[in-house]
Amino acid sequence: MTAVLEISGLAKTYRSRKGVRRALDGFDMVVEAGQVHGFLGPNGSGKTTTLRTLLGLIKPNGGRMAVLGREVPRHLPEVAGQIGAIVESPQFFPHFTARDTLSLLADAGGVDRHRVVEVLELVGLRDRAGDRVKTYSLGMKQRLAVASALLKNPRLLILDEPANGLDPGGIREMRTLMRNLAESGMTVVLSSHILGEIQLICDSVTIISAGRRVAAGSVADVLAQHKSSSVRVRVEAGVDLLAVAQALRTAGAPTVELEQDYLMVSGVDRPAWITWALAQHNVWVSELAPVEVDLESVFLQLTGTAPVAGENRQVDQTAAAPAALQGGWGQ
Amino acid sequence: MSLYKAETRRLVKRRFTRWLVIGSLFALAAVAVGTAVTNSKVGPEQIAAAQAEAERYYQESVRYAEQDRLRCEAAKGTPEAGQYPADCGQMYTPSREDYGYQGYMTPTFDFREEFGNMVVTLAAILALAAFVIGASYVGAEWSTGGMMNLLLWRPKRLQVLTTKLLALLVSLAVLTVLTAVAWTGAFALIANLRGSLDSMTSGAWQSFALMELRALGLVLAAGAIGFGIASLGRHTALALGAVVGLLVVFQFGLVTVLSMAEVKFAEAWLLPIWVMAWMSKTVTIEDFNSCNYSADGCRPDQLTLTWPMAGGAMVVAVVLVVGTALWTMRSRDIT
Ligand SMILES: Nc1ncnc2c1ncn2[C@@H]1O[C@H](COP(=O)(O)OP(=O)(O)OP(=O)(O)O)[C@@H](O)[C@H]1O
Ligand SMILES: [Mg+2]
């Protein structure tokens, strides 16, 4: 497979009167052709900054980037026609209609105006296309933004939080749309905070935290790498759970967590071993259910953003990347 | 080319642009109508009417003078006598020459005499409109995120900004040329109906044409400067209005301070003086604090501003503002 998007060692420092802020600190990312790629990270971790840099809107302080095999920002004008993008709820001139907005973009980019009707239909704005953007709801503006990104019929589609403000039906439509686009050969990069959504539609993900990559790869790989699977264990009523947990620990189970009326056991190779170990103590298992790890818990673990009772986590309190994960160009 | 067309379309589609153009044309139309209404043709009838009017005023004034003289005679020997001259015959009596009929004519529109002022009016109104249109056009693009959207399509920033500027200037030029033609036509018509075109020579026509050309230059410069300032500041027209207001206040403040400090030719710091110099070819400022003795008394020092000076200043301002806007655009972070 070929990489449609490669980023290596990207660095960006914002300077303002208040001082400097390292938004990106040696960030790497690779997206293969034809994939739907999830770009995840806590608030302020640098997702939008990465996408802006990639699209030539801001200047990086270091690092290399390539899109569709061309180095950017130097060769951006050559590939810009093949990148459709929305960056963080784009704004439109409020007094124009959706149709005017898109047809002006189409004119500026040399795209046939027929395409305007097509994309408006695609995002469900056909009947409201003659209304001024000012009168649109949040979700409708978001749909218009997606329409503007699709207008060029791009090879690479970059969407920064496209689901922002969409209704449940809209989110599902977006999901189908992404899949269809990917099947037609388009590569989609999707930043989102709705991890259930990402897990459903993405082939691969990159997780960023504090301006660095903390995980990357196919969804299955990331899940497998980062949390040993757990098993939920219930025993017959009336048995002392505390004693059972103790017994399992002495028998060699790495982690046993005591919950309300069951145990969570993780780090065990074969779940069947648990039945055996408990049978030794004359305790009979009534339920043994492997618990699927989900992207959300992996995300929270990797980025160190899991809520802690009694604390108000501040936006910049995130986990920094372990050094081993810092990859090089083209990795 | 496609970008240029799209930008022209965007500019013309904006309601703000449309309203401002309509408003300016309305103001101009009001000036033309006002001129037409207050002027009238000179013929034997008008002269006769004016003569009759002058005669009436003369007679009235003779009557008043006579009454005054009688009062003067009556006051002789009373305490009120001090208010009158000793010899009542010395008192003012009006003469017919003071009541020439020319002063009682309704005004007439002499094209050669008056069209120059009309071109200045045209230039001032259109230049103001051009400034605001240019500023709001690009300012709104920046503040609503339209510029960012556009740059996702056309990453060559300088090309985008210069194309926008070009679209603006060409549209302004078309507007100005059409309006100037209509303006000239309207006043030629007014002169025909309510005044005269008699003194117009081909040289005079040519001079008005050149004046209109300078008006075009002024309009384009104003548009470019508005565009440049708004692009630099990335603000909306409203904020820009505040800046302009501040500048005006600052300008008058500066002139007040300078003239209090008795700096020579303080008026030269006023922008309108330079606009006048550009449009009417020369403006002379006099310093009444100075005195150069000559045969006929005191002659004040003079400073003459000429149109090449004003034109040079204009070019420098445009290059400075637009150049800075382009230079900033080249490398700034667009967030
Ligand atoms: N224009 C700016 N000037 C200064 N700092 C900025 C600017 N834009 C972003 N930052 C900072 O850079 C960091 C990364 O911001 P970025 O917008 O890339 O985050 P993000 O991952 O998109 O977050 P979110 O999930 O909230 O959209 C943040 O700490 C932010 O405060
Ligand atoms: Mg963001």
Side-chain angles (χ1 to χ4, degrees):
Chain A
M1 274 208 270
T2 53
V4 162
L5 171 62
E6 287 175 88
I7 295 176
S8 139
L10 191 63
K12 173 65 190 180
T13 307
Y14 285 112
R15 283 167 205 286
S16 63
R17 261 161 276 148
K18 291 265 168 67
V20 294
R21 174 169 290 280
R22 306 191 76 171
L24 290 175
D25 190 10
F27 175 69
D28 309 301
M29 182 172 179
V30 180
V31 177
E32 306 290 345
Q35 290 196 331
V36 179
H37 188 94
F39 187 19
L40 319 177
N43 292 141
S45 54
K47 300 181 296 297
T48 303
T49 303
T50 304
L51 299 181
R52 283 210 171 104
T53 314
L54 196 65
L55 296 165
L57 295 176
I58 60 182
K59 251 206 177 114
N61 300 101
R64 297 171 67 192
M65 299 175 288
V67 177
L68 299 164
R70 306 306 305 263
E71 197 150 326
V72 293
R74 193 142 58 90
H75 296 288
L76 189 60
E78 294 153 44
V79 288
Q82 301 171 45
I83 310 173
I86 62 173
V87 183
E88 209 158 78
S89 35
Q91 306 286 306
F92 297 99
F93 186 63
H95 303 292
F96 284 170
T97 65
R99 195 180 294 119
D100 285 344
T101 305
L102 293 184
S103 82
L104 282 170
L105 279 179
D107 278 7
V111 171
D112 197 325
R113 281 202 210 165
H114 292 312
R115 188 76 192 134
V116 171
V117 183
E118 280 172 34
V119 292
L120 282 170
E121 169 77 39
L122 206 57
V123 299
L125 284 177
R126 180 192 53 209
D127 298 335
R128 298 292 297 271
D131 290 4
R132 283 193 287 153
V133 174
K134 203 169 102 167
T135 66
Y136 276 16
S137 73
L138 174 64
M140 287 159 74
K141 281 184 197 145
Q142 199 65 29
R143 285 164 189 258
L144 176 59
V146 174
S148 78
L150 289 173
L151 201 54
K152 297 184 228 186
N153 206 354
R155 279 175 63 196
L156 172 63
L157 183 64
I158 295 176
L159 303 173
D160 194 5
E161 305 195 27
N164 186 12
L166 289 192
D167 54 18
I171 292 181
R172 185 174 284 191
E173 277 164 26
M174 186 71 73
R175 190 196 302 156
T176 337
L177 182 65
M178 300 290 124
R179 280 258 63 101
N180 292 345
L181 291 174
E183 266 155 36
S184 73
M186 199 182 284
T187 309
V188 182
V189 174
L190 195 64
S191 110
S192 177
H193 293 300
I194 311 176
L195 296 182
E197 201 54 34
I198 293 285
Q199 202 172 349
L200 278 175
I201 57 174
C202 289
D203 304 300
S204 54
V205 293
T206 296
I207 302 182
I208 182 177
S209 179
R212 292 190 185 178
R213 178 164 79 180
V214 291
S218 72
V219 175
D221 282 354
V222 170
L223 292 181
Q225 268 171 39
H226 289 290
K227 197 158 186 180
S228 43
S229 49
S230 336
V231 180
R232 185 170 58 230
V233 180
R234 273 183 219 275
V235 294
E236 291 163 305
V239 179
D240 179 12
L241 275 180
L242 199 60
V244 175
Q246 203 54 53
L248 276 175
R249 284 196 192 104
T250 34
T255 45
V256 181
E257 283 162 38
L258 194 61
E259 301 288 341
Q260 191 73 30
D261 58 344
Y262 61 91
L263 298 173
M264 286 296 275
V265 183
S266 43
V268 179
D269 291 342
R270 292 172 302 138
W273 174 83
I274 298 170
T275 22
W276 175 81
L278 289 181
Q280 303 287 305
H281 292 82
N282 273 335
V283 175
W284 308 104
V285 173
S286 65
E287 182 189 336
L288 189 68
V291 176
E292 291 273 328
V293 296
D294 60 358
L295 202 50
E296 184 171 296
S297 46
V298 173
F299 177 89
L300 293 177
Q301 181 201 331
L302 284 173
T303 57
T305 52
V308 177
E311 272 182 36
N312 296 313
R313 189 181 63 83
Q314 302 303 303
V315 280
D316 285 335
Q317 290 176 7
T318 52
L325 273 156
Q326 299 300 307
W329 175 252
Q331 259 199 331
Chain B
M1 199 57 199
S2 57
L3 182 61
Y4 170 78
K5 271 192 198 147
E7 287 307 320
T8 306
R9 210 150 71 82
R10 186 194 309 280
L11 173 66
V12 175
K13 240 185 198 335
R14 298 198 59 214
R15 277 192 316 167
F16 188 82
T17 312
R18 291 181 181 177
W19 282 115
L20 209 69
V21 168
I22 290 173
S24 310
L25 294 182
F26 218 78
L28 290 173
V31 171
V33 169
T35 312
V37 169
T38 53
N39 285 286
S40 56
K41 192 112 189 150
V42 182
E45 254 170 71
Q46 279 81 6
I47 293 176
Q51 278 167 339
E53 180 93 343
E55 182 63 22
R56 203 162 60 72
Y57 275 99
Y58 169 68
Q59 295 299 351
E60 199 164 303
S61 136
V62 166
R63 226 172 26 249
Y64 280 129
E66 180 58 20
Q67 278 167 11
D68 259 2
R69 200 185 58 76
L70 289 177
R71 245 177 265 133
C72 169
E73 301 283 4
K76 273 203 174 127
T78 69
E80 271 151 51
Q83 290 176 14
Y84 298 98
D87 178 5
C88 291
Q90 291 272 292
M91 280 177 73
Y92 167 76
T93 41
S95 69
R96 264 224 161 67
E97 288 89 84
D98 296 339
Y99 291 86
Y101 76 94
Q102 287 87 350
Y104 296 89
M105 294 285 291
T106 48
T108 182
F109 190 79
D110 183 348
F111 196 89
R112 184 166 184 168
E113 283 288 305
E114 314 204 14
F115 187 61
N117 284 335
M118 293 303 158
V119 177
V120 175
T121 308
L122 174 81
I125 289 179
L126 286 187
L128 203 65
F131 181 85
V132 179
I133 287 174
S136 104
Y137 165 57
V138 74
E141 278 287 281
W142 277 115
S143 64
T144 61
M147 187 66 95
M148 194 185 90
N149 264 324
L150 191 58
L151 289 176
L152 294 180
W153 286 70
R154 308 286 290 229
K156 289 185 179 159
R157 296 184 180 189
L158 287 190
Q159 197 195 26
V160 167
L161 201 65
T162 45
T163 308
K164 272 182 187 293
L165 180 58
L166 187 72
L168 172 74
L169 294 184
V170 171
S171 308
L172 286 177
V174 169
L175 173 74
T176 310
V177 168
L178 291 182
T179 315
V181 168
W183 192 241
T184 314
F187 280 96
L189 190 69
I190 291 172
N192 227 332
L193 298 175
R194 309 266 166 141
S196 95
L197 273 167
D198 297 344
S199 49
M200 287 303 292
T201 58
S202 74
W205 280 113
Q206 199 179 358
S207 144
F208 281 141
L210 285 176
M211 199 172 177
E212 286 179 334
L213 208 60
R214 289 199 301 278
L216 175 64
L218 182 68
V219 171
L220 295 186
I225 289 176
F227 180 94
I229 291 179
S231 179
L232 269 175
R234 299 165 65 161
H235 35 49
T236 57
L238 212 67
L240 189 78
V243 171
V244 171
L246 269 178
L247 275 179
V248 169
V249 170
F250 174 77
Q251 240 202 359
F252 282 105
L254 181 71
V255 171
T256 311
V257 168
L258 287 179
S259 48
M260 275 188 338
E262 305 204 339
V263 172
K264 255 191 165 174
F265 307 125
E267 298 100 307
W269 292 94
L270 285 174
L271 193 59
I273 296 276
W274 289 88
V275 172
M276 279 312 291
W278 170 248
M279 289 305 298
S280 343
K281 292 216 233 159
T282 53
V283 163
T284 304
I285 310 175
E286 298 188 325
D287 177 21
F288 294 107
N289 290 332
S290 63
C291 183
N292 301 307
Y293 293 104
S294 69
D296 44 314
C298 229
R299 283 253 182 92
D301 282 346
Q302 291 187 334
L303 175 69
T304 307
L305 305 178
T306 61
W307 71 269
M309 285 161 76
M314 205 159 75
V315 168
V316 169
V318 168
V319 167
L320 217 63
V321 171
V322 173
T324 318
L326 286 174
W327 189 75
T328 320
M329 176 76 172
R330 216 169 46 103
S331 58
R332 85 160 133 216
D333 283 355
I334 296 166
T335 55

